[in-house]
Amino acid sequence: MDSLVIVDCQYDFIDGSLACSGSHEAVAYLINFINRHEMEVLYTSDWHSPANRSFKVNGGIWPIDIVEEYSAFHGINKKGIPLGTMVTDHVYVGGIASEYCIKETVFELLKAGHKVTLLVKGLGYVDYNGHLAAIDAMKKLGVEILE
């Protein structure tokens, strides 16, 4: 059985202050995909401390609400188990945002030797041109692109 990693499909990135383009369509697609395929589904949720170096107040680019490390690969569940050790050899990936957390999670999965299939219709993004560039970068590294 394959794994599906759904990255950061949470309120802030869908309808909140950091809402991303295509997020509603991405969530609808991912729900439909889950209902049509039998696989283990793992969800990530973006959260970081206020002292995080990526926040504007600490010299970064983001509002205080989000991000230091974009990749969810090393994120841990309530039992302390990292995502990267819970996924199967073949991993489908979808979620928000393609240019940041999706891209970096995919890069980490590839570095760890996983085969990755990117669910393009299941992606939200910040900037359309950045979205296309991220997809292209992942494709060049051997990610299977499922349109």
Side-chain angles (χ1 to χ4, degrees):
M1 182 182 310
D2 295 328
S3 297
L4 168 60
V5 174
I6 297 181
V7 178
D8 299 345
C9 283
Q10 59 200 75
Y11 176 79
D12 280 348
F13 300 127
I14 299 168
D15 285 320
S17 61
L18 301 167
C20 292
S21 298
S23 58
H24 286 272
E25 296 83 359
V27 170
Y29 176 86
L30 292 169
I31 291 168
N32 189 35
F33 189 86
I34 291 167
N35 288 333
R36 291 188 344 258
H37 298 86
E38 186 174 329
M39 58 183 53
E40 180 181 19
V41 182
L42 300 121
Y43 301 89
T44 73
S45 181
D46 192 306
W47 181 90
H48 302 276
S49 76
N52 186 285
R53 68 177 180 226
S54 295
F55 297 137
K56 285 180 184 177
V57 298
N58 301 326
I61 63 169
W62 296 102
I64 195 72
D65 301 359
I66 58 169
V67 221
E68 176 174 285
E69 182 177 321
Y70 295 129
S71 174
F73 184 82
H74 299 288
I76 57 172
N77 66 11
K78 290 180 181 179
K79 296 178 182 176
I81 303 169
L83 175 79
T85 65
M86 293 187 287
V87 295
T88 56
D89 290 338
H90 181 206
V91 183
Y92 290 84
V93 178
I96 306 169
S98 59
E99 316 95 308
Y100 297 98
C101 297
I102 297 292
K103 181 178 76 172
E104 295 303 322
T105 300
V106 166
F107 287 173
E108 291 287 330
L109 286 164
L110 292 171
K111 281 198 310 191
H114 298 277
K115 177 184 176 194
V116 178
T117 300
L118 186 66
L119 303 176
V120 173
K121 291 182 181 177
L123 298 176
Y125 52 90
V126 175
D127 171 76
Y128 185 68
N129 289 330
H131 169 67
L132 295 178
I135 293 170
D136 188 54
M138 290 181 269
K139 185 176 184 178
K140 286 178 179 173
L141 290 176
V143 172
E144 179 184 2
I145 305 298
L146 185 61
E147 301 277 342

